[in-house]
Amino acid sequence: MAEIIDVAVVGAGIIGLAVGWAVADGKRKVYVLEKNDSFGQETSSRNSQVVHAGLYYPKNSLKASTCVEGNRLLYEICASNGIAHRKLTKIVVAANDLEREKLEALLKNAAENGVGGLYLLTRQEVKRIEPNVEAVAALYVPSTGIIDVHGLMKFFLGKAKDKGAEVVYRAEVTGIAKERDGYSVTVQDSSGALTFFTRVLINCAGLNAGKVAAMAGIDLKKAGYRLHYCKGEYFSVGKGKSGLVKRLVYPVPLPEVTGAGIHVTLDLDGRMRLGPGVEYIREIEYTVDENKRHLFYEGVKRFLPALALNDLAPEMAGVRPKLQGPGERQKDFVIHHEEDKGLPGLINLVGIESPGLTASPAIAKMVGEIVNELL
Ligand SMILES: Cc1cc2nc3c(=O)[nH]c(=O)nc-3n(C[C@H](O)[C@H](O)[C@H](O)COP(=O)(O)OP(=O)(O)OC[C@H]3O[C@@H](n4cnc5c(N)ncnc54)[C@H](O)[C@@H]3O)c2cc1C
C-alpha cells in the first residue's frame, strides 16, 4: 500500500520552506518536495534581496497585506535569529513636477496599505542625505532594507525540519490524481517513480506553479492561473562607484512600466547593482544581454549623473512568475484553497512574484491557518 502522509508541499524555494515551517507541528507527517539538488536554486536566489515596504500594491490586495505584515515579521525573525540584514531605507525620486505629484499619490496609497513613517523630502533634503542624487523631491521610506536570502531560507529549512518536516531533493512531482479525502502524488527521483497519498497538497512551485495546478486538475484558463515569464536582468556597478549612494534609490514608477522601474540597490557587502529590467520571455533562461547596458545606464543616469556607462557590467537575471501578461493591469497573488473548484485539500500559490520574498512569513502564516482548518 502507498505511504500516507498529512501534507505535501511542492517546491523548496523561500515560499515552500516557509510554508513547510508553518504547517509542520511535530505530529503531522509533512514532505517538502524539491526537484533540484538543493533548496532555493530558482527565483529565490535570483532577486534584489530587498525587504519591501509595500508602497505600490493596490489597497486590500494580498500583495499589500502580506508585504506589510511580512516586512514586520522578517525584521523580527532576523533580529532574533542572527540573520544578516540591513534596514538601509529607500528613497523614490521625482525628476520633475509631474513626477512629484505621482509621489504624493504613491504616499497616499502606501499609507492606505499601512506603511508607516513615510514622508516627502525637498530637493535640498535629498541633497543632504544623498549628495550624488538629483531629484526635485523624494519619498523617504524608512522600512525598506536588504536581507541575506540564503540565510533566511536556511532558517526556514532548519525550523521546518525541527518540527518534523522532511525536505526531499531530486524529487520532482510529475503526477497528481484526486482521490477520496486527498491526492495521490507521483514523484520522480533517482530510483524511478514512486507514488504516495497526501491529505493536503500545497503548490509552491514558483515558475512551475501553473503546471502543478494543471496536474492537480485545475483548468488554468478558467481559473486565470496561466503564468507569464518575465525576465529581470541586473548590471553590477564597479566597486569604485558603490559609495555613490547610502540607501536604495528608485525612480517614480511609470504606468507603462511593469515593476518599479530600473533602480539602484546595494547588497550586504555594499556592492551596487542596477535593475531589474522587464522583459516577457517564452522559455526560462537567465542570460544577460550586454547590449542593454545603455538602457540601464539611461534609466538611472538622470537621477545618478555621476555614473558612467563603463561602470556597468552584466551580472545576473531572474524570472518572475507573473499572472499579468504584457500590457495587462497588475494582478494579485493567488493563495487559494481549491474547495470551490471541487478540489478540497489542494492549496495553490500562483503568481508569487515580488514582493514574495518579503511576504514569505505572512504567506506561510496564511497557509498554516488554512491547513489547521483542514487537519
Ligand atoms: C528579478 C526579481 C527580483 C525580485 N526582487 C525581489 C525583492 O527584492 N524583494 C522581494 O520581496 N521579492 C522579490 N522578488 C520575488 C521573489 O524572489 C519571489 O517572490 C520568491 O523568490 C518566490 O519564491 P518561491 O518559493 O515561490 O519560488 P522559487 O524560489 O522559484 O521556488 C519554487 C521551487 O519549486 C520547485 N519546483 C517547481 N516545480 C516542481 C515540481 N514539479 N516538483 C518539485 N519541485 C518543483 C523549483 O525547483 C523551485 O525550487 C523578485 C523576483 C525576481 C524575478
Side-chain angles (χ1 to χ4, degrees):
M1 206 181 86
E3 185 186 12
I4 299 174
I5 69 162
D6 297 302
V7 184
V9 179
V10 188
I14 192 116
I15 301 294
L17 293 170
V19 164
W21 172 35
V23 301
D25 65 354
K27 296 190 274 301
R28 295 173 183 154
K29 187 143 180 72
V30 176
Y31 282 170
V32 179
L33 304 161
E34 170 54 54
K35 68 179 166 58
N36 293 329
D37 291 348
S38 187
F39 62 90
Q41 295 192 331
E42 301 202 350
T43 310
S44 297
S45 51
R46 294 176 167 277
N47 56 56
S48 308
Q49 313 210 351
V50 174
V51 181
H52 287 301
L55 306 185
Y56 308 105
Y57 318 111
K59 194 177 155 191
N60 297 326
S61 63
L62 281 174
K63 282 184 176 172
S65 62
T66 58
C67 182
V68 173
E69 190 186 5
N71 176 294
R72 181 181 55 77
L73 292 173
L74 273 194
Y75 287 122
E76 280 173 19
I77 290 171
C78 287
S80 17
N81 297 282
I83 299 165
H85 67 290
R86 285 179 70 199
K87 213 179 203 175
L88 285 178
T89 76
K90 132 174 171 177
I91 51 174
V92 185
V93 294
N96 50 47
D97 287 341
L98 192 70
E99 288 193 2
R100 190 205 311 259
E101 280 169 31
K102 290 191 178 149
L103 277 188
E104 279 161 24
L106 196 59
L107 171 63
K108 185 167 173 281
N109 188 66
E112 283 175 358
N113 284 346
V115 183
L118 304 166
Y119 53 91
L120 290 170
L121 301 173
T122 61
R123 180 197 290 271
Q124 293 75 13
E125 286 165 334
V126 174
K127 272 279 168 232
R128 203 174 313 130
I129 62 167
E130 290 292 353
N132 296 305
V133 171
E134 287 301 328
V136 300
L139 178 62
Y140 179 75
V141 189
S143 57
T144 302
I146 50 172
I147 185 170
D148 169 11
V149 181
H150 189 77
L152 179 66
M153 286 195 282
K154 266 173 75 179
F155 169 78
F156 286 144
L157 173 76
K159 283 288 176 191
K161 283 183 170 172
D162 287 350
K163 292 207 283 169
E166 284 179 56
V167 183
V168 191
Y169 300 120
R170 288 174 226 98
E172 179 169 1
V173 172
T174 53
I176 299 166
K178 162 109 183 59
E179 308 271 355
R180 230 187 103 213
D181 302 328
Y183 296 84
S184 95
V185 177
T186 302
V187 170
Q188 198 74 37
D189 69 6
S190 49
S191 55
L194 60 95
T195 298
F196 63 89
F197 173 89
T198 183
R199 295 167 69 196
V200 172
L201 179 65
I202 309 174
N203 172 9
C204 302
L207 293 163
N208 271 352
K211 286 184 192 151
V212 171
M215 255 185 235
I218 297 281
D219 178 334
L220 295 188
K221 197 159 176 234
K222 222 161 129 189
Y225 290 181
R226 202 184 138 231
L227 283 176
H228 303 267
Y229 302 139
C230 183
K231 186 157 101 171
E233 293 157 300
Y234 293 88
F235 280 75
S236 60
V237 174
K239 257 279 182 208
K241 295 279 176 79
S242 280
L244 282 178
V245 297
K246 298 189 223 31
R247 53 183 53 71
L248 311 185
V249 186
Y250 286 55
V252 170
L254 301 170
E256 64 274 21
V257 175
T258 307
I262 301 213
H263 46 264
V264 177
T265 59
L266 297 167
D267 69 14
L268 286 164
D269 296 319
R271 278 185 300 252
M272 188 195 282
R273 43 148 77 146
L274 311 184
V278 177
E279 184 195 356
Y280 280 92
I281 53 174
R282 287 198 173 276
E283 303 292 331
I284 297 166
E285 52 85 18
Y286 299 106
T287 51
V288 180
D289 181 0
E290 173 134 28
N291 296 321
K292 290 196 186 135
R293 188 197 301 254
H294 227 284
L295 202 76
F296 280 66
Y297 170 67
E298 292 296 332
V300 170
K301 113 176 159 187
R302 63 189 189 123
F303 61 84
L304 196 57
L307 214 58
L309 184 62
N310 285 341
D311 296 329
L312 275 59
E315 194 193 39
M316 62 108 177
V319 177
R320 307 167 179 91
K322 265 193 183 294
L323 283 164
Q324 110 201 33
E328 288 176 3
R329 61 172 177 82
Q330 204 181 132
K331 297 221 171 122
D332 203 3
F333 291 154
V334 168
I335 302 170
H336 191 63
H337 177 216
E338 304 291 0
E339 194 172 20
D340 55 347
K341 300 189 188 70
L343 296 165
L346 171 68
I347 303 165
N348 275 316
L349 284 78
V350 189
I352 312 298
E353 52 164 332
S354 196
L357 153 65
T358 310
S360 57
I363 292 176
K365 205 171 123 196
M366 252 183 96
V367 175
E369 282 160 13
I370 302 174
V371 171
N372 287 344
E373 279 177 21
L374 291 173
L375 294 179

